[in-house]
Structure formats: C-alpha cells, structure tokens
Amino acid sequence: MGRLVFLFASSLLLMVAATTVSAATVEHSFYVKNLTVTRLCNRQVITAVNDSFPGPSLRVREGDKLIIHVFNMSPYKITIHWHGVSQLMSAWSDGPEMITQCAIRPGSNYTYKYRITKQEGTLFWHAHSSFLRATVHGAIIIHPRARHSYPFPKPYREVPILLGEWWNANVVDVENQALALGIGPNISNAYTINGWPGDLYPCSQNQMYKHRVEQGKTYLLRIINAAVNSHLFYKIANHNMTVVAVDARYTNPYVTDIVVISPGQTVDVLLTADQPVGSYYMTANNYASGSGTAVGVPFNPTTTRGVIIYQGASSSTTPLMPVVPAFNDTPTAHKFFTELTSLVGGRHWVPVPLNVDHKMFVTVGTALDVCPPNVSCLGRPPVGAALSASMNNVSFVLPTSLSLLQAFFFNVGGVYTTDFPANPP
C-alpha cells in the first residue's frame, strides 16, 4: 500500500511538473502619465502608458503568470482592466473601477498578478476609469506553450492592429459633459489604426500606419477594436483574410474580405501577400445599425486608413482603395458574425452546456430617466430627462465607498442588492 501511495504521489508530481515546466513569470511596469501628441492639426495632452500611444504590447505564453506594476503619475484616478482574461483565482486583479477594486489615486501604485489559463490568441488591456481607455490601452498577445503549435500554418510575422477613436478634446471632459447634460457623448473626430488617423483627415498625410510585407508570405494580423463606442468594418484592398481566432479562442478557418469587430473584441486573421507587388489601403469605418431609425443615434461617419506596402513597390504608386461598406450594411455584418464557429476539439475548446440550471430573459436598452439631483439635463428633450442604459429596466449605479468585490468578500451590506429580475417587467 505504501508503494502504491508513493507511485501515485510521484505521478502527481510529474503531472504538475509537466504543466508548469513551460510556464514563466512575465513582469512589467506601467507608468501612467500625461503625454503630448499631435493629431488632426492639434497638440493634445493625453493620458498614456510608458509614453506610447497605443501602449506596450504584453507578449506571454499560455500558462504564464503576469505581474504588472502600475504607477499612476497622471492627474486622474485610474485602474487597468485585462479585457477577456479569465482571471481564474485572481479576481482581485481584474481591474474595473469600483467593481473589483477602488481606483489607483494619482501618485499611488498597484500591482496586478494573474495567470493566463486555457486561452490562446489576442486580448487587450485598457483603463477602466471613465473615457481614459480611449488612449490607455494595448495588446495582450498569448502564444501557445513551448513545444505547442498553432492549429493553422505558422505565419511569417505577427502584427497587432489596434483600431481606436480620437477626440480633439480631453476625453474625461467628454464623458463628464455627457453625464452633466444627460445625453450621449460627443462623437469622436477620427478613427485610428495603431494610433494614427490616416491621410483622409486634416494634417494627417504623414500620420498613417504603414506595414511592409513580402510577396508570398503569410502574416497573422491580431486585430483589436479599442474604440470606445464604435463597431467597425475592417478591410484591405484586393485581399482576403482567414479568421482563425476570436477573443483568444480558436475558430474554424473562415475566409472573408471583411472583418466586423465590436468594441472590446479581438479577431485574429491570416493575411497572405498574394497580390501583385504594389500598395493596398486598409480601412476601418463605423458600423452603426442604430442610425437612421427613429432614435437617430449620432456616429462618426469618417474612415481611417493605413497601407500595406509590398517589398519592391514603387513609392510613387497610388495605393488601391477597397470598397468601404455603408455604415448600415447589416447583411454584411450578420454574415460575418454568423460564420464564426468554434474549433470543435481544438485546444482549450469548451463545449456548450446542454443542461440549463437557471433561465434568464435579459433585455438591454437605452431609455429616458429623470435627471439626477443637481444635474440640468438641458441637452435632452424633454428637459429634465436623461439617457439611461438598463438591463431589464434596471440601471447600474457605481458604488462610491467600497468595490462590489470587497463588499461581497467581506459580506458588507448596503453596497449592492441581489434582486435583479430574471425577466423584464
């Protein structure tokens, strides 16, 4: 019996060792502070990480532990959220302000610790305080463990493509004004690709993202929608793309000439440089299905573009421009989303549960509510009403004294309730 116990213990140790041998600890420091940049003819002070916009990419392997020291040298309170990371056994490091932690005050610091478990692909990190996420964000690139391969041909290069929004204003003021008037925020002035607006905007002829490729090579584009409010179409002239992952989950390969991507979503695509040597524009523009209805939701109708340049292409060649879809091209968006299917049996695949323990019917919408105390709501007719997002007709209000996680962990009452309706009224 003693021998059997010893053998079992030895086998268990070997199993643990096998799962951790390729794991590492990846440590970074984020310095959050003011940065002055020039965009759209203006010099603008933004909040950024490590003097870069977008911020640094975090490159890890599945199973790695991340330690991120955040030093808040900005004038604003801030938290960092690791968007899409499962946070198994590390909920204190998730990052939404007043949900899992109180904000990091100016002059203070906070250390996040978490492990990437059973996820491979692309995610991203961003500020989770007010609109600061418009400029405080970056990629999380998760490679397979050592000696593991992708479930698709290995690409020649990997390229992060971060799509974003730009305001010619302080983004904190943009949100505060919206809250004060009870209306939606002012729309952005431009969309960006890797921080650059592209040459369709004023003073931006030389502010365009450019990526050089070799003919015949295949590249893995890690596309991230870091925009605050906008769903986006993404295209590359004369090129197809093969979707291989969404939100750090592998998909069945899907060939498409367009990607539709929601705020906070990531899409990994393989791009083969299989066209004649030349230059080809990539574009991003808004998908705004709610516009043109009775609601009349305003949106930014502009297009940002970067350029793919083949090695050997003449600098005098005018890049080819893709046909940009209309803002309300719902059939194209519907086709893209419904063609995405999980790679059944692939690494980290999770089957859909067939047995349901509890059913809920949840509606999401935006309606009018009475103005909060001391708020004028002059911008929204009728006067005295404010836009209010809700789920099942319940609007969420952030706690002010204690985060939800702290209140739950320490069993503190008066911070949240447990009576969310399972059906809309």
Side-chain angles (χ1 to χ4, degrees):
M1 182 67 182
R3 177 176 172 79
L4 288 175
V5 170
F6 174 76
L7 288 174
F8 174 76
S10 300
S11 300
L12 185 61
L13 287 173
L14 287 172
M15 289 172 62
V16 172
T19 58
T20 59
V21 65
S22 62
T25 297
V26 179
E27 194 164 1
H28 291 273
S29 292
F30 279 10
Y31 297 93
V32 185
K33 55 184 177 179
N34 284 350
L35 175 68
T36 302
V37 298
T38 300
R39 297 289 189 278
L40 309 185
C41 316
N42 296 302
R43 284 174 60 83
Q44 182 74 39
V45 177
I46 65 173
T47 305
V49 171
N50 295 358
D51 293 323
S52 63
F53 169 63
S57 295
L58 301 179
R59 298 179 182 272
V60 299
R61 291 187 181 275
E62 191 271 324
D64 284 354
K65 180 180 181 180
L66 274 80
I67 300 177
I68 314 291
H69 308 285
V70 177
F71 299 89
N72 188 4
M73 304 163 68
S74 80
Y76 306 107
K77 61 180 183 177
I78 198 169
T79 63
I80 303 294
H81 173 53
W82 317 96
H83 195 107
V85 176
S86 295
Q87 295 290 355
L88 301 178
M89 306 303 293
S90 57
W92 296 106
S93 285
D94 192 40
E97 181 184 352
M98 300 311 296
I99 306 301
T100 59
Q101 68 171 106
C102 295
I104 309 168
R105 296 186 177 278
S108 300
N109 61 81
Y110 186 84
T111 296
Y112 296 89
K113 298 179 182 179
Y114 57 92
R115 190 177 298 277
I116 301 290
T117 304
K118 296 183 179 181
Q119 293 178 287
E120 295 177 22
T122 308
L123 298 172
F124 84 116
W125 58 266
H126 61 84
H128 213 299
S129 301
S130 71
F131 266 27
L132 289 172
R133 65 186 185 276
T135 56
V136 178
H137 59 251
I140 303 175
I141 297 171
I142 309 167
H143 292 105
R145 288 177 183 260
R147 297 186 296 277
H148 287 194
S149 60
Y150 294 124
F152 48 81
K154 183 178 179 181
Y156 177 64
R157 291 280 190 273
E158 300 185 10
V159 185
I161 301 290
L162 282 84
L163 309 177
E165 287 184 276
W166 177 266
W167 277 264
N168 282 334
N170 181 308
V171 293
V172 175
D173 292 342
V174 170
E175 184 186 47
N176 288 340
Q177 180 190 44
L179 293 174
L181 296 177
I183 61 176
N186 288 336
I187 62 173
S188 59
N189 297 97
Y191 300 114
T192 58
I193 300 176
N194 287 345
W196 299 108
D199 60 352
L200 292 176
Y201 295 101
C203 305
S204 303
Q205 188 65 35
N206 298 316
Q207 294 196 337
M208 181 167 58
Y209 172 69
K210 299 177 181 180
H211 181 67
R212 298 187 179 275
V213 299
E214 293 185 35
Q215 192 178 41
K217 301 291 188 182
T218 296
Y219 298 79
L220 177 62
L221 305 186
R222 298 179 176 273
I223 306 169
I224 299 168
N225 187 350
V228 176
N229 289 322
S230 298
H231 301 249
L232 296 170
F233 292 111
Y234 175 82
K235 293 192 74 172
I236 301 174
N238 283 26
H239 287 76
N240 284 330
M241 298 168 279
T242 302
V243 179
V244 292
V246 171
D247 295 332
R249 295 290 180 181
Y250 293 123
T251 63
N252 288 306
Y254 163 49
V255 179
T256 176
D257 68 343
I258 192 167
V259 167
V260 193
I261 185 167
S262 304
Q265 189 179 20
T266 70
V267 178
D268 292 355
V269 302
L270 295 176
L271 171 73
T272 299
D274 56 4
Q275 295 300 302
V277 170
S279 298
Y280 302 84
Y281 279 121
M282 63 174 71
T283 61
N285 66 298
N286 200 308
Y287 169 50
S289 63
S291 299
T293 66
V295 178
V297 179
F299 69 98
N300 182 342
T302 64
T303 298
T304 179
R305 65 185 183 185
V307 64
I308 296 285
I309 304 172
Y310 277 63
Q311 185 175 309
S314 171
S315 59
S316 61
T317 302
T318 301
L320 292 178
M321 180 70 178
V323 177
V324 176
F327 71 88
N328 58 353
D329 190 351
T330 293
T332 293
H334 181 266
K335 183 179 188 301
F336 177 81
F337 287 127
T338 55
E339 290 287 348
L340 299 176
T341 55
S342 178
L343 186 61
V344 175
R347 200 160 52 244
H348 313 312
W349 173 66
V350 178
V352 176
L354 300 181
N355 297 318
V356 176
D357 299 315
H358 184 70
K359 293 183 179 181
M360 297 183 71
F361 175 29
V362 180
T363 60
V364 181
T366 303
L368 293 175
D369 199 356
V370 295
C371 272
N374 304 318
V375 176
S376 63
C377 293
L378 297 177
R380 167 62 57 178
V383 175
L387 285 176
S388 179
S390 65
M391 297 174 64
N392 285 2
N393 209 35
V394 176
S395 289
F396 178 70
V397 179
L398 280 170
T400 57
S401 59
L402 202 65
S403 74
L404 291 180
L405 184 59
Q406 286 174 293
F408 174 79
F409 187 81
F410 293 108
N411 196 27
V412 177
V415 178
Y416 67 92
T417 64
T418 58
D419 57 351
F420 181 80
N423 292 280

